Amino acid sequence: MRALKEHLPETEIVLRPERADDPAIRYAVVWKQPPGVLSELPNLSAIFSLGAGVDHILADRTVPDAPIVRVVAEDLTSRMSEYVVWRVLDHFRKGSTYRAQQAAGLWNEHRQPAAGDVTVGILGLGELGRDAAAKLRTIGFKVAGWSRTERRIEGITTFHGAEGLAECLAVSDILVVLLPLTPQTRGLIDDDFLSRLKTETPLGRPVLINAGRGGLQLDSAILRALNDGRLMEASLDVFEREPLPRDSALWRHPQVFVTPHAAASSDPAALAPLIARQIAAHERGEPLENVVDRQAGY
Ligand code: NDP
Ligand code: OXD
């Protein structure tokens, strides 16, 4: 709120309206708002999500029909690509194996494939997926990607639509998930999905990295795939239930790397000027940018 005030000094900003139907409120900035909190505001011109994902807003069926603007910010995109590159490289360079060897005082060198022999498949070729793809290409990985509609991206093998998923899984040695949570993508990473992964890769078996949304995966299916060898390792930033329950076997699984939905946290200092700029432009009658397609759900 302080960051926003700095960029909109003339505007009254309240933490939460005292009146549910306050006619003075024109814009709402939200993250996981309590259901119903926006529904009675009669003069809402736009709703700003404090995240790139908007499933938290659309989960509330009473959200009024105002445009929803999501975060597209260089700061957020760079943070996500850092996370993706970090996790891909750690799995690729056998981080967990060498950490275990260090703990045991073991000096064993393991065969290391070349980056150019490994394909990273990215599910979701949006703002985040495209940037991560470009950075992984720079390191030398082959990159494939999957989107809902057809995308042509230089240097990347692309697939799209329901039929393109199997093709993308069939070429991916390391799979990075950067999809939004929508009715179409919910529960995508289930037993059937994990059974369609490659059975052999230059690293041994496939690796899964999910930084999209926990609702995309069934935690239990990932555990089964790790335990029966369909998956070699997983890095998970998001979970079906967050915080990840204390009794989840994912916490203690030796092949799983857990982060607490921290892959790309939005920095208020970076977001505030973007929101302020959009509000000012909208007040001048200019169109909003990065408006969510409610029909598609992202
Ligand atoms: P975008 O909206 O820019 O991109 C979404 C991508 O997913 C697009 O390529 C889109 O296809 C594709 N997609 C959507 N639905 C389907 C489908 N049914 N089948 C195949 N592809 C589909 O989103 P961003 O890249 O900005 O962000 C992606 C997600 O990352 C966010 O929605 C959020 O959930 C998550 N996120 C997580 C963070 C974290 O800290 N863990 C931080 C920030 C975001 P098309 O190109 O055809 O539109
Ligand atoms: C986001 C997130 O969607 O932080 O931006 O998950």
Side-chain angles (χ1 to χ4, degrees):
M1 186 161 145
R2 195 162 0 103
L4 207 50
K5 190 77 201 158
E6 267 171 42
H7 293 273
L8 292 170
E10 309 289 301
T11 307
E12 191 188 346
I13 304 177
V14 293
L15 201 48
R16 209 187 146 146
E18 271 170 30
R19 273 179 61 187
D21 60 349
D22 190 337
I25 294 190
R26 303 273 320 283
Y27 300 96
V29 179
V30 296
W31 176 252
K32 294 187 182 168
Q33 81 284 359
V37 79
L38 301 174
S39 61
E40 289 171 40
L41 294 171
N43 292 321
L44 207 52
S45 291
I47 302 166
F48 289 88
S49 167
L50 277 174
V54 293
D55 47 292
H56 64 105
I57 296 179
L58 294 174
D60 177 0
R61 300 255 171 239
T62 67
V63 165
D65 202 19
I68 299 173
V69 177
R70 67 186 202 91
V71 173
V72 174
E74 212 179 299
D75 175 76
L76 182 90
T77 304
S78 301
R79 286 166 196 254
M80 181 57 87
S81 291
E82 284 165 19
Y83 169 87
V84 171
V85 169
W86 171 43
R87 296 321 310 149
V88 166
L89 283 177
D90 189 49
H91 291 291
F92 171 63
R93 295 305 302 249
K94 302 185 167 51
S96 61
T97 305
Y98 285 123
R99 281 189 291 275
Q101 283 192 190
Q102 181 179 351
L106 285 175
W107 185 276
N108 271 344
E109 187 181 345
H110 296 272
R111 199 189 70 80
Q112 180 65 51
D117 291 333
V118 172
T119 300
V120 182
I122 303 182
L123 304 189
L125 290 174
E127 296 292 333
L128 303 182
R130 289 196 304 275
D131 191 69
K135 287 173 179 160
L136 291 165
R137 285 271 302 143
T138 304
I139 296 170
F141 290 104
K142 285 189 276 192
V143 179
W146 182 62
S147 53
R148 186 171 62 93
T149 58
E150 189 170 3
R151 298 255 168 198
R152 285 178 196 198
I153 305 170
E154 207 190 322
I156 296 170
T157 310
T158 54
F159 305 95
H160 69 279
E163 62 301 336
L165 177 61
E167 295 173 77
C168 189
L169 298 186
V171 299
S172 300
D173 301 314
I174 298 176
L175 196 66
V176 176
V177 185
L178 288 174
L179 288 166
L181 181 62
T182 70
Q184 285 69 42
T185 60
R186 183 175 288 281
L188 180 77
I189 307 167
D190 61 5
D191 282 297
D192 176 54
F193 174 103
L194 293 161
S195 295
R196 287 191 277 158
L197 297 176
K198 289 174 80 167
T199 49
E200 265 180 50
T201 75
L203 302 172
R205 283 157 291 134
V207 168
L208 172 72
I209 298 169
N210 185 10
R213 278 290 181 267
L216 298 166
Q217 74 195 24
L218 302 184
D219 294 2
S220 57
I222 293 176
L223 280 163
R224 276 191 290 280
L226 287 161
N227 292 338
D228 67 20
R230 277 172 293 159
L231 271 181
M232 187 175 79
E233 292 181 338
S235 281
L236 303 173
D237 184 57
V238 288
F239 303 88
E240 274 183 85
R241 273 180 60 202
E242 294 178 6
L244 181 62
R246 290 300 311 156
D247 62 355
S248 168
L250 289 169
W251 278 116
R252 287 166 298 281
H253 202 291
Q255 291 144 261
V256 179
F257 186 89
V258 170
T259 43
H261 198 139
S265 300
S266 302
D267 176 1
L271 298 193
L274 302 181
I275 295 172
R277 182 177 55 74
Q278 287 245 58
I279 290 177
H282 192 251
E283 289 294 299
R284 289 194 300 270
E286 292 168 26
L288 293 164
E289 292 165 14
N290 310 315
V291 174
V292 167
D293 173 349
R294 285 205 190 202
Q295 193 68 30
Y298 65 97

